[in-house]
Amino acid sequence: MEIKETIGELLRTSKELLKIIELDIEQAGDEREIKKYNEVIGFCEQVVRIIETYPQDKEIVFLDCSCGKSYLSFALNIILKKQFAVNTYFYGVDTNRILIEKCDRIRNSLGFRNMHFINGRIIDVQPEKPVDILIALHACDIATDEAIAKGIKLGAKYIVVVPCCEGQVRGRIKRGHPLVDLTDFGLLRYRFADILTEALRAQFLTGAGYHVKLTEITSPKFTPKNLMIIARRKKGNKRYNLDKYKKLDEMFNTEFVLNNYFNEQELGQDNLLSPVN
């Protein structure tokens, strides 16, 4: 059985979990839950492929950014434990206090002792355990960039994000760049902003010492926001080299938000990145 099919079957039979986290597609009243369900399965599939590269006895620590109701972390927790016998620990962070309190209640009702939820900003959180894999599923607009920045600062081995909206770039590419004849048209500007935003994120991660892969987590019929960025920290000591990112940023005058999470000293090419364990 393929990994995706295995994950889907395990989730479908985990009826208590699906009911508690309000992701029971058999009882779904609209298409939004089905969409979210397929997004979670697609995301989990990619994480499982990453997990297969780790030693069997290692505790793998996740940081789920803008976790919301934590569909993803709860699903991963049960999948990795039941099907793959992986030892895990999950941190979830969100600025919404009500949702964090709800996650705490769900964790307690399920008896998951390997989960800790934090009410606060992504960039400010300081997990006690070293983070192996940072994840974010549809963290809205610049929250995705905050998650990427946090992953880099923490030295996470993997940063795995599925971005949401790209409002920041869309508003800045109406004029003053080489492709202005293309972005004169609203629909084309909207779509180009998506592409440019993900290119900026990918180039920043590459310049910060990560190997970057872009893939899709599910069919576009479920959601157009199905692009996933998988960034794996390169081994050995690496230096920042953001030349490609800066060139792209300057070409389109985006003043991209990732810049704001780092000071000049951090982004200097002489700054040596910590080696990967």
Side-chain angles (χ1 to χ4, degrees):
M1 187 180 292
E2 295 290 332
I3 290 176
K4 194 169 188 176
E5 294 175 354
T6 301
I7 292 169
E9 180 63 23
L10 181 57
L11 281 182
R12 279 191 295 273
T13 57
S14 302
K15 295 187 180 297
E16 180 187 8
L17 171 70
L18 293 178
K19 183 177 180 180
I20 291 175
I21 67 175
E22 300 171 359
L23 201 60
D24 189 353
I25 60 170
E26 292 182 0
Q27 303 297 324
D30 57 49
E31 294 182 357
R32 287 176 295 179
E33 287 190 29
I34 296 174
K35 177 177 82 72
K36 181 63 69 177
Y37 179 81
N38 282 282
E39 290 167 354
V40 167
I41 288 178
F43 202 117
C44 289
E45 177 189 11
Q46 297 301 325
V47 171
V48 168
R49 294 185 187 281
I50 291 171
I51 294 297
E52 290 176 336
T53 67
Y54 278 84
Q56 185 71 27
D57 59 347
K58 182 185 183 333
E59 180 186 57
I60 301 175
V61 180
F62 290 84
L63 175 59
D64 187 354
C65 298
S66 287
C67 61
K69 295 180 180 179
S70 296
Y71 300 116
L72 183 58
S73 285
F74 285 119
L76 277 171
N77 200 348
I78 199 164
I79 288 166
L80 295 177
K81 180 180 180 180
K82 281 191 173 182
Q83 185 65 34
F84 299 95
V86 177
N87 185 23
T88 58
Y89 195 91
F90 290 86
Y91 292 101
V93 58
D94 202 289
T95 56
N96 189 318
R97 178 181 55 81
I98 294 173
L99 288 180
I100 289 296
E101 290 174 352
K102 183 172 185 176
C103 289
D104 281 333
R105 291 194 297 271
I106 294 173
R107 175 201 59 200
N108 294 337
S109 67
L110 292 170
F112 288 165
R113 297 183 178 180
N114 63 332
M115 304 187 83
H116 179 63
F117 295 101
I118 303 163
N119 179 213
R121 294 179 65 221
I122 296 167
I123 204 69
D124 295 331
V125 69
Q126 295 296 334
E128 292 183 3
K129 296 173 180 279
V131 172
D132 294 289
I133 304 175
L134 180 142
I135 57 176
L137 174 57
H138 291 165
C140 191
D141 200 11
I142 64 172
T144 293
D145 302 293
E146 192 174 345
I148 289 171
K150 189 62 182 180
I152 294 171
K153 287 174 177 286
L154 289 174
K157 185 174 181 180
Y158 284 91
I159 298 172
V160 186
V161 298
V162 175
C164 187
C165 43
E166 282 81 23
Q168 183 219 353
V169 167
R170 196 178 307 135
R172 294 196 61 85
I173 58 172
K174 292 182 179 180
R175 60 187 68 85
H177 61 80
L179 299 181
V180 68
D181 291 344
L182 182 153
T183 57
D184 274 347
F185 305 96
L187 179 59
L188 294 181
R189 183 169 66 249
Y190 184 95
R191 293 183 177 178
F192 183 69
D194 288 356
I195 295 171
L196 178 58
T197 300
E198 306 320 334
L200 285 162
R201 288 166 174 159
Q203 289 293 4
F204 195 99
L205 281 160
T206 301
Y210 284 80
H211 172 77
V212 178
K213 173 186 175 182
L214 303 182
T215 188
E216 292 182 328
I217 60 165
T218 188
S219 168
K221 72 179 181 180
F222 294 116
T223 174
K225 302 295 183 181
N226 67 341
L227 185 144
M228 171 181 274
I229 300 173
I230 303 174
R232 173 179 52 80
R233 189 81 177 271
K234 295 177 182 177
K235 292 183 178 180
N237 289 321
K238 302 290 181 181
R239 296 182 184 275
Y240 280 98
N241 184 354
L242 296 170
D243 289 349
K244 289 184 178 180
Y245 164 80
K246 290 178 179 178
K247 182 178 180 180
L248 197 58
D249 187 34
E250 292 169 2
M251 181 185 299
F252 291 95
N253 191 32
T254 57
E255 297 181 5
F256 197 56
V257 69
L258 268 170
N259 297 333
N260 300 340
Y261 298 109
F262 300 86
N263 58 43
E264 288 298 322
Q265 184 178 359
E266 287 177 303
L267 295 181
Q269 290 194 16
D270 292 334
N271 186 32
L272 196 63
L273 296 167
S274 301
V276 176
N277 295 326

